[in-house]
Amino acid sequence: ETGVTQTPRHLVMGMTNKKSLKCEQHLGHNAMYWYKQSAKKPLELMFVYNFKEQTENNSVPSRFSPECPNSSHLFLHLHTLQPEDSALYLCASSQGQRGSESYNEQFFGPGTRLTVL
Amino acid sequence: AQTVTQSQPEMSVQEAETVTLSCTYDTSENNYYLFWYKQPPSRQMILVIRQEAYKQQNATENRFSVNFQKAAKSFSLKISDSQLGDTAMYFCAFMNTGTASKLTFGTGTRLQVTL
C-alpha cells in the first residue's frame, strides 16, 4: 500500500450503531487530518493531529471521537450519529508542523462514504 | 475568518480547448498560500498547483497556470489543452501562514471535458 489509505470505503449504519473509520498513511508523515465533505458544501476540517497530539478540533460534535495511536494511524469513532452526518469523510496527512510559518503539502486518502439511516 | 468562493458550480470544455475556473477569497492577512486541488471521480484529492501570496509571479505546472490578483483577492485556474483526464471536481483552497495546517476550501467546480 502506498500513500494514504482509508477503510472501509463505504459504510451504512443506523443511528444507534457504533462504528470506526480507519486511516493509514505510508508516507512517513507526522500530521494527520479528518475532513467532512458534504454535497454542495466546502470541505470542513474536523480534527488535526500533529505528532500524535490533537491540535485542532473544529467544533465537532462529541458523537465523533478521533484517535491517533501513532503517527501512521488515525481513527474516527462514530456513535449515535444523525442522518445529516451522512457524507464523504476524507483523511489527509502531511509532514508535521514544527513552526507556524511552515507549509507542508497535505496528501488525501480516497475517503469513506458514510450513510446514516 | 477566511472564506473562499467558487461561483461556477459546473463547467464544460471541449478536449484541447482552454478553460478558466474562478476563485475569490476574503482575508485580512497579508501572507498566505492559495491552492487548486483536483478530485477525480475516484475521489482521491490531489494538489494541482500552489501559489504563495508574497510571490508576484503566477505559478505554472505544465498545462495548469493561475492568475493571481492579490488586490482583487482573485485566484483563477487556467487549464490549457484540456484532456479527458482533467474531468474532475476542482477546489480552490486558502491557507494562512499563521495556521499552516488549516485549509479553507471553496464549494468546488465540476469540470467536464468532452470530445
Side-chain angles (χ1 to χ4, degrees), chain A residues 35-90:
Chain A
Y35 288 88
K36 176 183 179 182
Q37 185 176 16
S38 305
K40 299 183 180 178
K41 292 176 68 176
L43 270 79
E44 302 170 57
L45 179 65
M46 300 174 73
F47 302 104
V48 180
Y49 278 83
N50 193 34
F51 292 93
K52 296 190 294 180
E53 183 178 325
Q54 188 180 124
T55 56
E56 184 86 26
N57 178 336
N58 201 20
S59 302
V60 180
S62 60
R63 57 186 183 270
F64 294 91
S65 174
E67 179 190 0
C68 188
N70 55 60
S71 296
S72 299
H73 294 87
L74 183 66
F75 295 89
L76 189 62
H77 304 300
L78 316 170
H79 62 98
T80 59
L81 293 192
Q82 305 297 312
E84 60 264 29
D85 296 322
S86 298
L88 182 70
Y89 288 85
L90 293 173

Side-chain angles (χ1 to χ4, degrees), chain A residues 37 42 56 100 102 106 108 113, chain B residues 39 43-44 97 100-101 105:
Chain A
Q37 185 176 16
E56 184 86 26
S100 61
S102 61
Q106 293 183 24
F108 286 81
R113 171 67 63 188
Chain B
Q39 189 179 39
R43 297 289 184 177
Q44 197 124 16
T97 54
S101 62
F105 285 86

